[in-house]
Amino acid sequence: MAEKKIILPEIEELAPEPPPKGPVVWMKDNLFYSVSSTILTLLGLLIAVLFIRGMVGFILADERKWEAITTNMRLLMVQAYPQEASWRLWLALGIIFVLLGLSLAFWHAGGKAEPRKVGRAVAAAGGFVVFVVLVAPFETNARVFGLIIGGVLIVAGLGAVRLLGERAKEATVPVLLIAAILAGVAVAALWLIQVPVPDPEGGVGESQLAGIATTTSGPWTILYLVTIASYFLGLFLRRVIPERAGRLALVVLWTMAFPIIVLHLARGVEFQNVGQYLTIGVAFAAVGSLIIWFLADPARGELGRGLAGLLLVIAIASWVVSALILIRLMLLLLALFALGGPTFAGGERATRIRYVGVWVGAVVITVYMMLLATGVSLVQTSNETVFGGFFLTWILAIGGIALSFPMGVVLALGRTSTMPIFRLLSTIYIELVRGVPLITWLLVSIVVFPILFPLGVNFVAPAKVTLFIAFFSAAYLAENVRGGLQAISKGQTEAANALGMTTLQRTVFITLPQALRAVIPALVGQVIAIFKDTSLVAIVGLFDILKIGRDIIPTQTQPYNFLGSLRESLLAVAVFYWIFTFIFSRISLQLEERLGVGKR
Amino acid sequence: MIKRLAVLLAVLAMVAAACGGSSESEDTTSTTAATTDDTTATTAASDDGGGDAGQAAEGGTLAAVQQRGTLKCGVSGSLPGFSETQPDGTAIGFDADYCRAIAAAVLGDANAVEFRPLTAAERFDVLKAGEIDVLVRNTTYTQSRDASGEGGVNIDFAPTTYYDGQQLMGLSSRFSADSGPADVDGAILCTNAGTTTEKNITEWAKIGGATIGLETVEQFPEALEKFIAGQCDLVTTDGSGLVANKVTKEREGEIQPGEWVVFPTAPISKEPLGPAFRQNDSEWGDIITWVVYATIIADEKGVTSANIDEQKDVDPEATRLFGGEGEVQTAMGLNADAFYQMVKQVGNYDEIFARNLNPLDIFREGTLNAPFNEGGMIYAPPAR
Amino acid sequence: MAVTVATHERPPFWRNATVLKWAAQLVLVAFLAIVILTLRAQAATNIEDRGITFGTKWLDDPPLISIREGIDLQPDSGARALYAGIVNTLRVSISGILAATILGTIIGVARLSHNWIVNKIATVYIETIRNIPLLVQILFWLAVIQIFPALDEDSVGESLFLVTAKGVSIPWLFPAGGFYQWLVFLIIGAVVAGFVYFRLSRLKEERGGETYAFWWSVVAFVAIAVIGWFIHPVMAFWGPIFDGISSFFGAIPRVLVQILLAAVAVLAGTLWIRRFLESMRTPAGLAKLTDDDWFRMIFVGLMALIGAALFVFLPGISQTILNMVEAFFNFLGAKFSGESVAPLTYTTPAVELRGTGGFAQLSDQALVITPGFFALWVGVTLYTAAFIAEIVRGGILAVNKGQSEAGLAVGLTRAQLLRFVVLPQAFRIVLPPIGNQYLNLFKNTSLGIAVAFPDIVQVGQTIYNQTGQTFPVVILWMAFFLTGSLVLSSIVNYFNRRLKLVER
């Protein structure tokens, strides 16, 4: 007898859709459902109205000098970066956007979402645009433009949901297309919105109109088009290259993007010692590959380990004896790779070939970084450092987090280690660094840190600050990773031991991947926190966006007089921070959903 | 909890060690690692370092500056008339021009200066750490700053470029130029932190029997904002700063002319302002000293940036400084035409003063900044 | 038949796990030692070159600075100035923690409200405040306070609330002469109330029926407090007792205290080692001690010895402890003087003309919140409250939905549900993260340096600018913040342990 499969329908499909509530019913349900609720509603309305009136009154008052922000936008973004070298920054942005387009193609292509969600998000964006346009001090034509766009968005968003109705359940909407359209609208707005700028010849209070982004609307448009082009390029490449290889290449490119942009492009490095370094690099790559190939073969056994240990001793000796830094680094790397050979590459030939490939890659990167470090900076500014403004904020945040990552993982491993001295030292470091506020550490970096080095050796202020931000962040990161490490079930460790894996193999291949995966949301939270904490460098004299907004813009008297525009500057700085932090936290929420944290 | 205790014990141990061993001499065999013969050692350690930090200490500041090709000058950046930061990062003002004068003398190019705006709180540490070569930031020459040993700040000073005095500023509706401590009793004052200003006003109030509250901020413009908002009743700092800010605000129309008054007419303290440099570097110190003197001597002889080519031989002293073979300059480690370039590119004392301070109603006549033969204190030793 | 037993061959030393383990650790320690010694040598050279010397004389020298607010506006020694800074930090921290907890809980609950407007307001608040850096917010509040009206001669007089550019003043209750005597009555009242509550609750459990245990205990407390208000001079007999204790401590020779403390340290170490060995004892005798165990014992022993050595060789510590105890009892003795003044005085804000200069200032008779304190306190409170709100919301959501459903099924109202079922369980979950936020608030008060509030960091910076003593001040900062964090997290942990789920 054939079995009939019984398919139970989902409960939701059985129940009829409740009829959409009218606005009156909705208000009764959500605002006035009880006496206390009514009181709260009225109270809330009062607070909201007072607040909005206060804010709008403040923003639209006549004495506000919003031109201070628009005229000084360049100062806020990159401070004293020389005008003639601006192309470098645009190129850097271009690199980022190209990588963004390619990454979208490889990771998100074809991403679809429910029309209802998208519709609501679009309507919300439209509402936001309308609110901003009404509240912000734009000129009439900008207001009109904004209202039109906002209105269209709201109608499109809400309307799409209503219109599709039943079909809304099965249909899907390409998210990227909608994002591209919205971005295009934003770029168009750059061309069309006009804001008052102060008249250089006129007196106080006179102003004329100019585009919000006269010099930058062109480059932004180009960047927009470049992003779209690179997205399609990425789609094309995805068909040609295997996906994994492509993703790996993109990850490497993203990792290298930061040092390339900050150390190479923005500083305008002119390389020195190229010939010498290249020769050393090639020599080490060739000879090193042979050595590693030889030592990584597990057939070498004890002898191999012994030789690797000998290499390590030579490497350490080279640091005591005087030698080129590059040679010392190369020797150290070679020793580490040799020691790690049997652990990571013992086995088949293919693994060993890949391992040697990684070695060559490491040599290339090291030589490149050394060339960057010893190169001469072509971009000169007259106040000592090339980086300032919002640019500096990003550099401090990304550099600090990137540097803190390896430190944090090592500290976490140390803190959960079975070896008591490692545990003790890690604990002392973590508790000491976490127990003291960041501003104190920044003051230490300015006041105490330079004493530790001979006169004449001075790190530029951003370097010192990045270093100490990294130290600080590493302690917090270590606690997060430790949480992840402790969440791994003991069975994993036991299974790894049963299979005969060494501690190093177990840590790198089994423990760390699981731990890091579990703490990614906490890590993103850490990134957000560090991004906000970079504002503290204003206290130690670095010209980040907050210091420019607080100290420089409100004291400007030439060529325009912006005295007394402190509150406007602070509001603008707050808005900048808010936008990006908000985006980060949305990304964090999405990451949590994707990784299924808390559900498995 | 145990861990925290362990950390606390470790910190206490550090305290004990710090209290004990400040002047022990350590076995310095390991310092060989620090001094290498490869200049890239130090640059590799700096993240965004660039190629400018590779000198060992033995060369001294002069050698470092010449090798680098730019002069790192610490200024205020927010004091009208003395140093105001421009949008492109350079600074203009009396102090800023002296930075340029030093650069012109040492490097031959008045524009080879990196201006570093500093708060009063950090200026000495930045100077001592070697991050700037000279501090031209309306810094007062005092004994404690000069002193070595515990309790001193341990820096040295060049000759005074501006004789100033600390004064107070308040609303002219309740103060006059003769107001004294009795009129200030019970007030709240704002000033900037880390300066002699704090000490002076506290002492002045104590001696005068007045009780005051003091709010310290990081930068003087903040103090002024508080004063305008009514958070403090008075502000106090060097008289030149008060007058400069007052005149600027009057010009911009923020206040009525005469709404504020600077008092007392006889300043409550002596504030001789001048450039400052690190101790134990006499070669560099002598150069800065003689840059200042050369500008004064040029003014004395009537040599200006406009007429220097004709007037540089007006008398033997001028020739020694601005023309001729300049043996004294080369003996100091400078180029022979160092001071010639300086006056030509930047000007003499009077030009620097007039260019920056006259627009703010600060004049030399009748003040201590007049030439010595007109009753002031601007006097230079002979150049021979 | 011979049975071969595999003997345990020891691997060669270069593969012996224990040897490798300790070799690696020793290598790390050696490496760190080298690095630290190098840096120290370099620092010593630099310090000598620049002529700086570090010492402790500056602690006694008058710093010639004025502190805007706090316990000592014109400190006459560096140590006193730093002490004033510490007190200021604690003032902001404690009041901030209290305010942030209350505000954060309200907003967290509001975020879950069914009322749409309340919900949205809370959401907007959290999303805005959390995403703007704290420093920007603090500066913003400072800018806001600048638009408050300024004071002049016309504003002299009293008022209920004063919001001015020079600060905010609110009415306040200040402890007056008889306060400590009254405090004794309050303590007695609390003890009696606890006793009453205990007995009545026990009675309720045994007999059933309502005994209103809570309300009776409150009645008891209030009754004793009111009685104490009128008859507190009775407690004056404590005064001479405290004075006697104070002189007793003053008479103790310092050496005795040093020896005592050192003995305590050694004793603590010995006890720990003894207990540890006891725990390793099995019925078959002492278990085999691993190298880790040896390390722990040696470490504890070393710590105990170092502690003892510190007490013996640094007489300052014992002297300071003695002085502090003596001063404390002296202080108490003075407070129990038998005055019959009311324990609390109510004061209203006023503007007065101060000094011969006749400046309109906020009178100190009521509570004055200076602009710096206002900006810092409002900033950290709102900021921390946003985080606490999210934690509270998460905690409430984490309580099993079944609990809420069961509660509703049994017929509890939403308010009762919240109060009796959800919040107590949520409290257990949220306590550790909230403790973390308290620590963050404590550390965030260091931003007072940006708004001219004289907290420990700002005062410390002023001192080291004037005296050049950067190292000692930095070490003091570290010691202070570590101690503060230690105390705060101990308090939180204590409550945490008491609330832990006791598994069956």
Side-chain angles (χ1 to χ4, degrees), chain B residues 55-226:
Chain B
Q55 287 75 33
E58 288 83 46
T61 317
L62 175 64
V65 172
Q66 284 170 333
Q67 174 149 21
R68 193 191 312 133
T70 50
L71 174 77
K72 291 194 184 177
C73 202
V75 295
S76 155
S78 50
L79 189 57
F82 283 85
S83 56
E84 286 177 78
T85 310
Q86 302 301 293
D88 64 354
T90 55
I92 58 173
F94 186 80
D95 286 337
D97 274 348
Y98 263 100
C99 286
R100 292 202 178 83
I102 300 172
V106 174
L107 301 166
D109 177 12
N111 292 321
V113 185
E114 277 183 20
F115 291 100
R116 173 128 177 220
L118 297 168
T119 61
E122 58 175 337
R123 55 188 162 160
F124 298 130
D125 290 304
V126 170
L127 175 66
K128 288 192 286 192
E131 292 174 30
I132 52 175
D133 303 310
V134 63
L135 179 71
V136 194
R137 196 204 171 279
N138 60 306
T139 309
T140 314
Y141 179 17
T142 68
Q143 184 189 20
S144 69
R145 288 182 177 162
D146 210 6
S148 327
E150 194 183 329
V153 177
N154 315 305
I155 54 178
D156 281 339
F157 283 84
T160 307
T161 50
Y162 188 91
Y163 289 92
D164 205 354
Q166 181 171 340
Q167 291 171 297
L168 294 79
M169 183 157 76
L171 293 171
S172 56
S173 53
R174 39 168 355 139
F175 299 103
S176 69
D178 307 309
S179 302
D183 304 294
V184 167
D185 182 31
I188 297 183
L189 283 82
C190 286
T191 185
N192 42 342
T195 59
T196 50
T197 323
E198 270 181 277
K199 276 190 190 168
N200 289 339
I201 195 74
T202 314
E203 265 182 1
W204 181 76
K206 227 185 217 179
I207 296 173
T211 323
I212 54 169
L214 200 60
E215 271 199 34
T216 50
V217 297
E218 284 176 68
Q219 308 259 40
F220 187 70
E222 264 181 74
L224 207 55
E225 284 283 329
K226 285 183 183 256

Side-chain angles (χ1 to χ4, degrees), chain A residues 392-479:
Chain A
L392 177 65
T393 306
W394 280 102
I395 292 177
L396 291 174
I398 297 183
I401 299 263
L403 274 182
S404 74
F405 221 87
M407 283 197 278
V409 170
V410 166
L411 281 171
L413 289 173
R415 187 144 188 204
T416 51
S417 150
T418 47
M419 294 189 246
I421 293 192
F422 288 157
R423 220 174 34 234
L424 186 69
L425 291 173
S426 305
T427 311
I428 289 184
Y429 177 92
I430 293 177
E431 294 299 329
L432 181 64
V433 169
R434 268 177 17 133
V436 176
L438 179 59
I439 184 65
T440 318
W441 286 118
L442 290 179
L443 287 172
V444 165
S445 83
I446 297 287
V447 159
V448 169
F449 193 62
I451 295 189
L452 299 175
F453 296 93
L455 187 65
V457 175
N458 60 333
F459 299 85
V460 259
K464 280 189 298 211
V465 166
T466 311
L467 195 61
F468 271 79
I469 290 182
F471 285 153
F472 186 74
S473 165
Y476 282 85
L477 215 67
E479 284 295 277

Side-chain angles (χ1 to χ4, degrees), chain C residues 197-198 424-425 427-429 431-432 489-503:
Chain C
Y197 183 73
F198 194 57
Q425 295 184 54
F427 193 59
R428 190 179 296 129
I429 301 178
L431 197 54
S489 52
S490 309
I491 297 179
V492 172
N493 276 338
Y494 170 72
F495 283 107
N496 218 4
R497 265 199 307 267
R498 291 212 29 203
L499 286 175
K500 251 178 32 183
L501 281 172
V502 177
E503 310 266 324

Side-chain angles (χ1 to χ4, degrees), chain B residues 4 121 174 182 186 231 233 280, chain C residues 49 53 165-166 356 358 361 465 489:
Chain B
R4 293 273 175 89
R174 39 168 355 139
Q231 277 177 359
D233 306 298
N280 302 330
Chain C
D49 277 345
T53 40
K166 281 195 175 146
T356 52
Q361 312 282 16
N465 278 325
S489 52

